[in-house]
Amino acid sequence: MAIATTSAADPGTTRRGGNPWVGFAARRLARFALSIALLVTATFWMIHLVPGDPARAALGATASAELVEHKRAELHLDEPLHEQFAIYLGGLVRGDLGSSQVTGLPVGTVIGDRLPATVTLAAVAFLLVVVVAVPGGMAAGQATWRRWRPASELAFSGTTSALSAVPDFLLGVALVYVFAIAVPVLPVAGRGGPDSYVLPVIALAAGPIGLMLRIVRAETVRVLQQDFVRTARGKRLPGRRVFLRHVLPSVVTPTLTLSGLILSGLLAGTVLVETLFAWPGLGSSLTRSVLDRDYPLVQGLALVFGTGVLLINLTVDLVISIVDPRTTLRDG
């Protein structure tokens, strides 16, 4: 009688004998659905936790009582909370996020018009982070892992710590001062040609570059000290081959995980950076809608930002499961 055995190293089997990919996909999709449900609930209650009357806040202190009552009826604020929540969910199902209280435009139209600018800005910043930090961190790890160059290690740690410690909006203010007042060579407001991306992208990417440089270097040093790397060196394999075939694959998985967190942070960071550089994206719209107390637009933008972060995390999980299925399926 043949007895089926399950190997812990085989990602294609489980202790129950089922397909682990089905279970992995089900768990990830269930987690994503639960997160979306919590996000939708949070965006609804966010408005109702704000002190004061949203209708009065939107119309101003001088608006007549009749106008305020009309606005309250328009926003369904006189209905019980559970009915307001049902109306909100029904609108989401139909793709109706309401209309801006300030411009009267549908929230979906505002988001559709401004989403490309934010996605482009975050994507360019993320590309810069990866291009600079991944090879830079690995080169730094290769150069300093034996601790033969303490001065270089100290300079690297000091520079990357400073980069990651400076808030993006403070760096943006410094960039505006230098390139708008001291040496006016780059545009500091609006979205135009390629040169208009330079300052917002630097302000957005500088901190994540410092953080990823440190993480990639530390991971590279850790891998270089592993026994399998020492064994490969003991076989007198060429250094480039050892690095590409043994070190690089082991650094990829934590780098991908960190990349997902950084991309989520870049998306959130666009709120302040877009406002500072008058970038016509979702971030600047969110800031303005909060100041105007334009609650339907605030709800829609918060929902888009939250969904974007959740989609990024889900994509990173799927990519890691493909790159490193053994660890992912065991832990997931």
Side-chain angles (χ1 to χ4, degrees), residues 228-250:
F228 67 92
V229 176
R230 292 196 183 100
T231 301
R233 293 182 185 277
K235 293 179 179 178
R236 297 185 181 281
L237 296 177
R240 177 177 296 180
R241 185 177 177 184
V242 172
F243 201 81
L244 294 178
R245 294 193 59 178
H246 298 281
V247 178
L248 182 60
S250 299

Side-chain angles (χ1 to χ4, degrees), residues 44 57 80 136 138 163 168 170 214:
F44 171 79
M138 296 185 73
L163 277 176
D168 49 13
L170 285 182
R214 292 172 62 87

